[in-house]
Amino acid sequence: MQQCINNEDFKNTGFYYAWSLVKGKYKVPILYALMEYKVVRYNAIKKYLGGDMSYKMLTSALRELEADGLVNRKEYQQMPPKVEYSLSDRGKSLIPILDSLCDWGDSLIKNLKSI
């Protein structure tokens, strides 16, 4: 029996829940940076992602990722303050998906170069 979209609610899907965790302009790039570089400090993330992001936007995205259990935040009691971010176990479960996305992007780039 084929499903009918009229009987479904997108908000009840696993895709919707997963998307709600990673949607936002900078969340996936932050997760990618943490996947690639393991433990990263705040200013290094900001520099890596480029200059168009405000400190407020980066802080907000990191707080949301931490609240959703995708990112660990470790604060060191020292002067000046030092904070490091890394993927949590839940965040690490995204690595195969991010790897697939990277592979897909790489293949698109290769195809563009061969045209």
Side-chain angles (χ1 to χ4, degrees):
M1 178 194 311
Q2 186 177 8
Q3 289 182 297
C4 177
I5 197 167
N6 294 331
N7 301 327
E8 300 298 327
D9 181 359
F10 181 61
K11 292 181 181 178
N12 291 328
T13 65
F15 181 87
Y16 179 84
Y17 177 70
W19 184 249
S20 74
L21 297 178
V22 298
K23 72 180 176 182
K25 189 172 181 179
Y26 296 106
K27 287 184 179 180
V28 171
I30 290 168
L31 293 167
Y32 174 79
L34 296 176
M35 176 187 79
E36 287 291 311
Y37 301 103
K38 310 300 182 226
V39 178
V40 184
R41 293 180 66 181
Y42 181 93
N43 285 332
I45 295 171
K46 178 141 179 30
K47 182 179 176 186
Y48 178 75
L49 296 180
D52 67 331
M53 178 189 347
S54 70
Y55 285 99
K56 182 179 177 182
M57 290 170 62
L58 177 56
T59 298
S60 176
L62 285 165
R63 284 182 180 159
E64 289 175 19
L65 289 167
E66 183 184 10
D68 289 332
L70 298 174
V71 169
N72 292 323
R73 180 181 189 273
K74 185 173 183 181
E75 188 173 341
Y76 296 89
Q77 298 300 317
Q78 65 182 46
M79 288 308 279
K82 177 181 172 182
V83 178
E84 294 178 335
Y85 294 90
S86 62
L87 290 177
S88 66
D89 287 340
R90 188 176 192 187
K92 289 175 185 174
S93 71
L94 278 169
I95 288 177
I97 297 160
L98 293 175
D99 279 340
S100 294
L101 191 60
C102 292
D103 292 343
W104 182 61
D106 287 343
S107 70
L108 293 175
I109 289 169
K110 286 177 188 173
N111 288 337
L112 287 173
K113 289 179 181 178
S114 66
I115 294 177

